[in-house]
Amino acid sequence: MRDNHISYLELKAKNLEEIKRFYTKCFAWSFTDYGPSYAAFSDSGLYGGFEQTEGDIVNGALIVLYHKNLNSVKNKIIQMGGAISKDIFPFPGGQRFHFMDPSGNELAVWSDK
C-alpha cells in the first residue's frame, strides 16, 4: 500500500444479507463478515465493505485513503482547512479517522500501523 492512495471503498446497507446476495449474484463478489453489522467485499477490482445502518442513506459511499502515519496526515488536514468528523479509532486490521474536506465531502484515512 502507498500513502495517500485510495485503498478502500465503504458503502452503507439497510440489510447486509440482502446486499451480499445482490452483489454476489449480480457481480460474483465475495464477502467476509466482521461482526453483525459489517461485511467486507473482494473480487470487485477494489476492496471495500458495507456497513449496516438504520438511518437514511444520503451519500452511501465513503472513500478510504491509506497513510502509515495517521497523526501526521490528520494534522495536515486540519492545517489545510479540513475538519475531523470522527477521531482516530481502532477496528479489525488497524485504525482510522474520518474527515471533512473544505467542500464538505467526508473521507477516511486508515493505517495498519
Side-chain angles (χ1 to χ4, degrees):
M1 284 175 274
R2 294 180 55 193
D3 287 352
N4 308 318
H5 282 210
I6 295 173
S7 169
Y8 198 81
L9 175 65
E10 193 166 276
L11 302 164
K12 302 286 186 189
K14 295 285 188 181
N15 181 313
L16 284 181
E17 292 308 314
E18 179 181 56
I19 207 75
K20 290 188 306 186
R21 190 170 40 257
F22 176 85
Y23 282 97
T24 298
K25 296 290 186 187
C26 292
F27 302 106
W29 290 7
S30 300
F31 286 88
T32 303
D33 292 334
Y34 290 98
S37 63
Y38 198 87
F41 59 80
S42 57
D43 300 320
S44 66
L46 177 70
Y47 290 107
F50 286 95
E51 179 183 28
Q52 187 169 349
T53 183
E54 299 298 323
D56 293 335
I57 299 174
V58 176
N59 179 6
L62 177 68
I63 295 174
V64 183
L65 307 171
Y66 175 84
H67 200 286
K68 65 184 172 223
N69 188 327
L70 290 184
N71 284 314
S72 172
V73 72
K74 177 182 160 185
N75 290 334
K76 285 182 188 178
I77 288 167
I78 293 167
Q79 289 171 0
M80 295 305 301
I84 304 307
S85 55
K86 187 183 284 188
D87 211 350
I88 296 172
F89 65 93
F91 69 94
Q95 53 183 345
R96 78 182 199 195
F97 68 90
H98 296 204
F99 70 95
M100 306 297 283
D101 72 14
S103 291
N105 297 297
E106 185 174 32
L107 289 86
V109 183
W110 84 282
S111 178
D112 54 353
K113 307 291 181 216

